[in-house]
């Protein structure tokens, strides 16, 4: 069902804003590597729900904002998020018909890829990365996917975002 | 293909950002737009602290007041001694013909409770170029060197801690005068001294201070204590781990230091080559 006028852009914007705030929210240092990739999760949801509106361009812009927010190289998150958005757009018709827990498996693969892109850049500029760094973030993100999915679906239906 | 385009742009951006400073205006622009968001994230934490301070019981406050009074008394007596020593130091330096060390100007900055990339050690401060903060400025707390400012926005700035793996700090062992470079080990509270020969004069527990070489950090600020030394004859250098004396993970307020003057930094160099330093320097080379 394609509507003539896209609506609910504000809702998408607010959810991304909340994801950015959660990314910057302070946690104890041991919990830092267990922080879910909030922005990537929300991006994956909107790519599946609104593939005609949210795509690689949005992902790239978000990535630049995320780079500035987290003080990484400009382009690092932009690069990783663009790739995640691209793959989600290729596969959204398969993923979005699955039950939530099976979506979780796909999300795990997507966030792992996202994390690999980030850590690949970290490694290229010569920063040591702990082995847990590879797995903790995708695991935490997968565990949180069902709740993120339900919340965002609720928001999408409530505000009729299309 | 759009993905290819975005990936290429990203890689170009990363390369530019890694190599030079051309992208700082872009970063500053985005950072200024993002400042309200970071401020909003900081609000609940700040509110919690505020509530904690305001809801403290009268008894606890009185107790703390008493403790602070005692501490102030002790510190004042030490300050009196220090003033005397400073005056003496100035006299001796005048005799030696080198300019005196004026105490550095400082500004208190508060940390914004904002988490950044977990793989690098960075913190965000609530003072920016509006307050005169500049890139490369040193950051200290009551117990020692914390790091240096790496990026400055109008209202906030980013600083790299000395434990960041890409940070190197020129230091001096205060007991022997041996100079070395302390590199961040990337973990929360650890530094590593690089290129220390196996026979160098270092001991566990030695205190380290900044040497002022490199003209980035003011000389004489405490850095940390040597925690462990591994000497392996098969390896060219000893593995020396240092525990920073500054509370890198626990601070809310930090001090930004302005060097006393440019002239003073130049004068700090000859003053380092005291006989003691030269001797152990040779020992380290051999």
């Amino acid at each position: 069902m394609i509507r003539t006028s896209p609506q609910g852009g504000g809702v998408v914007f607010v959810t991304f804003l909340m994801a950015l705030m959660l990314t910057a929210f302070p946690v104890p240092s041991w919990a830092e590597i267990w922080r879910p990739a909030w922005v990537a999760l929300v991006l994956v949801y909107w790519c599946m729900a609104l593939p005609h509106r949210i795509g690689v361009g949005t992902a790239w812009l978000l990535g630049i904002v995320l780079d500035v927010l987290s003080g990484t190289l400009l382009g690092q998150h932009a690069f990783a998020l663009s790739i995640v958005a691209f793959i989600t757009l290729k596969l959204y018709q398969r993923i979005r018909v699955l039950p939530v827990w099976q979506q979780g498996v796909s999300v795990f693969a997507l966030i792992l890829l996202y994390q690999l892109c980030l850590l690949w850049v970290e490694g290229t500029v010569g920063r040591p990365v702990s082995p847990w760094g590879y797995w903790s973030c995708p695991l935490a993100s997968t565990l949180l996917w069902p709740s993120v999915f339900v919340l965002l679906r609720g928001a999408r239906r409530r505000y009729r975002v299309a | 293909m759009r993905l290819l385009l975005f990936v290429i742009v990203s890689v170009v951006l990363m390369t530019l950002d890694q190599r030079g400073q051309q992208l700082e205006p872009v970063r500053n622009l985005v950072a200024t737009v993002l400042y309200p968001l970071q401020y909003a994230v900081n609000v609940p934490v700040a509110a919690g602290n505020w509530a904690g301070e305001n809801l403290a019981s009268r008894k606890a406050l009185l107790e703390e007041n008493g403790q602070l009074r005692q501490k102030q008394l002790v510190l004042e007596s030490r300050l009196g001694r220090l003033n005397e020593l400073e005056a003496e130091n100035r006299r001796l330096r005048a005799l030696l013909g080198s300019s005196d060390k004026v105490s550095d100007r400082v500004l208190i900055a508060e940390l914004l409770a904002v988490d950044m990339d977990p793989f690098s050690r960075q913190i965000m401060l609530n003072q920016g170029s509006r307050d005169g903060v500049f890139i490369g400025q040193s950051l200290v707390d009551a117990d020692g060197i914390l790091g240096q400012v790496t990026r400055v926005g109008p209202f906030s700035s980013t600083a790299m801690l000395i434990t960041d793996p890409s940070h190197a700090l020129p230091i001096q062992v205060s007991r022997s005068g041996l100079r070395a470079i302390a590199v961040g080990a990337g973990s929360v509270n650890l530094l590593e001294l690089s290129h220390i020969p196996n026979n160098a004069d270092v001991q566990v527990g030695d205190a380290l201070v900044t040497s002022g070489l490199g003209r980035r950090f003011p000389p004489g600020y405490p850095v940390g204590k040597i925690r462990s030394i591994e000497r392996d004859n098969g390896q060219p250098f000893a593995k020396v781990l240092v525990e920073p004396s500054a509370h890198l993970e626990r601070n809310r307020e930090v001090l930004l230091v302005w060097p006393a003057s440019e002239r003073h930094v130049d004068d700090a160099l000859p003053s380092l080559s005291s006989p003691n330093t030269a001797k152990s320097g040779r020992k380290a080379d051999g």
Side-chain angles (χ1 to χ4, degrees), chain B residues 90-118:
Chain B
R90 202 170 293 161
R91 278 200 304 278
L92 291 172
R93 276 174 188 276
L95 285 175
L96 284 170
S98 86
S99 86
D100 56 339
K101 254 172 134 178
V102 195
S103 47
D104 306 316
R105 187 160 80 86
V106 295
L107 171 75
I108 296 184
E110 259 182 61
L111 293 196
L112 283 182
V114 171
D115 271 359
M116 306 186 73
D117 181 33

Side-chain angles (χ1 to χ4, degrees), chain A residues 24 27 35 60 71-72 74 122, chain B residues 10 17 27 115 117 122 164:
Chain A
V27 292
R35 185 197 297 281
W60 190 82
T72 47
L74 216 53
E122 296 273 348
Chain B
S10 304
D17 201 22
R27 196 185 274 276
D115 271 359
D117 181 33
Q122 298 184 86
D164 189 280

Side-chain angles (χ1 to χ4, degrees), chain B residues 17-43:
Chain B
D17 201 22
Q18 169 79 351
R19 295 291 157 92
Q21 302 281 324
Q22 298 98 320
L23 290 175
E24 285 308 302
V26 183
R27 196 185 274 276
N28 275 341
L29 182 74
V30 184
T32 313
V33 176
L34 274 178
Y35 183 68
L37 189 143
Q38 286 165 332
Y39 191 81
V41 168
N42 185 45
V43 163

Side-chain angles (χ1 to χ4, degrees), chain A residues 17 20-29 32-33 35 55-57 60 64-65 67-79 82-83 86 115 119 121-122 125-130 133, chain B residues 1-3 6-7 9-11 13-15 17-18 23 26-28 30-31 34 37-38 40-41 44-45 113-122 124 151 158 160 164-166 185-186 188 249:
Chain A
L17 211 60
L20 285 171
M21 286 176 76
L22 282 170
T23 308
F25 198 79
V27 292
S29 54
E32 257 175 31
I33 60 165
R35 185 197 297 281
V56 181
W60 190 82
I64 291 292
V65 172
D67 283 324
V68 174
L69 188 69
S70 52
T72 47
L73 282 182
L74 216 53
Q76 184 175 345
H77 285 89
F79 167 70
S82 307
I83 289 178
F86 177 76
Q115 192 74 354
L119 294 177
V121 176
E122 296 273 348
V125 298
R127 289 182 186 285
V129 172
S130 71
Chain B
M1 202 155 101
R2 283 175 68 199
L3 176 71
F6 280 117
V7 165
V9 174
S10 304
V11 172
L13 278 182
M14 284 190 274
T15 318
D17 201 22
Q18 169 79 351
L23 290 175
V26 183
R27 196 185 274 276
N28 275 341
V30 184
L34 274 178
L37 189 143
Q38 286 165 332
V41 168
V45 182
V114 171
D115 271 359
M116 306 186 73
D117 181 33
F119 302 111
S120 56
R121 302 269 147 218
Q122 298 184 86
M124 183 153 249
R151 286 187 200 112
T158 311
M160 184 186 273
D164 189 280
S166 53
V188 176
E249 301 292 313

Side-chain angles (χ1 to χ4, degrees), chain B residues 113-162:
Chain B
V114 171
D115 271 359
M116 306 186 73
D117 181 33
F119 302 111
S120 56
R121 302 269 147 218
Q122 298 184 86
I123 51 174
M124 183 153 249
L125 309 170
N126 70 345
Q127 311 275 354
S129 54
R130 217 180 32 160
D131 311 285
V133 178
F134 58 89
I135 289 179
Q137 190 166 21
S138 328
L139 205 65
V140 302
D141 74 352
D143 301 303
I145 288 274
L146 275 173
Q148 60 175 303
V149 175
T150 45
R151 286 187 200 112
V152 180
F155 308 106
S156 61
S157 49
T158 311
M160 184 186 273
L161 296 179
I162 49 174

Side-chain angles (χ1 to χ4, degrees), chain A:
Chain A
M1 44 158 206
I2 297 168
R3 294 183 195 178
T4 43
S5 65
Q7 49 181 313
V11 177
V12 180
F13 181 76
V14 168
T15 52
F16 279 135
L17 211 60
M18 282 165 66
L20 285 171
M21 286 176 76
L22 282 170
T23 308
F25 198 79
V27 292
S29 54
W30 59 265
E32 257 175 31
I33 60 165
W34 290 95
R35 185 197 297 281
W38 293 108
V39 176
L41 282 179
V42 175
L43 179 75
V44 167
Y45 178 82
W46 286 122
C47 279
M48 285 200 297
L50 310 169
H52 52 287
R53 286 176 67 189
I54 307 292
V56 181
T58 321
W60 190 82
L61 277 178
L62 262 178
I64 291 292
V65 172
L66 200 50
D67 283 324
V68 174
L69 188 69
S70 52
T72 47
L73 282 182
L74 216 53
Q76 184 175 345
H77 285 89
F79 167 70
L81 282 178
S82 307
I83 289 178
V84 166
F86 177 76
I87 293 175
T88 316
L89 285 182
K90 286 281 156 199
L91 298 177
Y92 77 94
Q93 282 166 324
R94 293 186 203 173
I95 301 177
R96 78 175 169 186
V97 293
L98 296 174
V100 176
W101 70 270
Q102 283 180 18
Q103 283 180 1
V105 179
S106 322
V107 167
F108 181 77
L110 281 170
I111 304 289
L112 187 62
L113 179 73
Y114 167 76
Q115 192 74 354
L116 281 176
C117 290
L118 289 182
L119 294 177
W120 174 65
V121 176
E122 296 273 348
T124 311
V125 298
R127 289 182 186 285
V129 172
S130 71
W132 267 109
Y134 286 91
W135 298 105
S136 53
C137 169
L139 272 175
S141 307
T142 309
L143 290 178
L144 273 166
W145 169 252
S147 33
V148 170
F149 178 78
V150 170
L151 277 175
L152 288 178
R153 190 179 56 183
R156 183 171 62 88
R157 289 183 177 163
R158 171 90 173 69
Y159 297 102
R160 296 168 197 278
V161 184

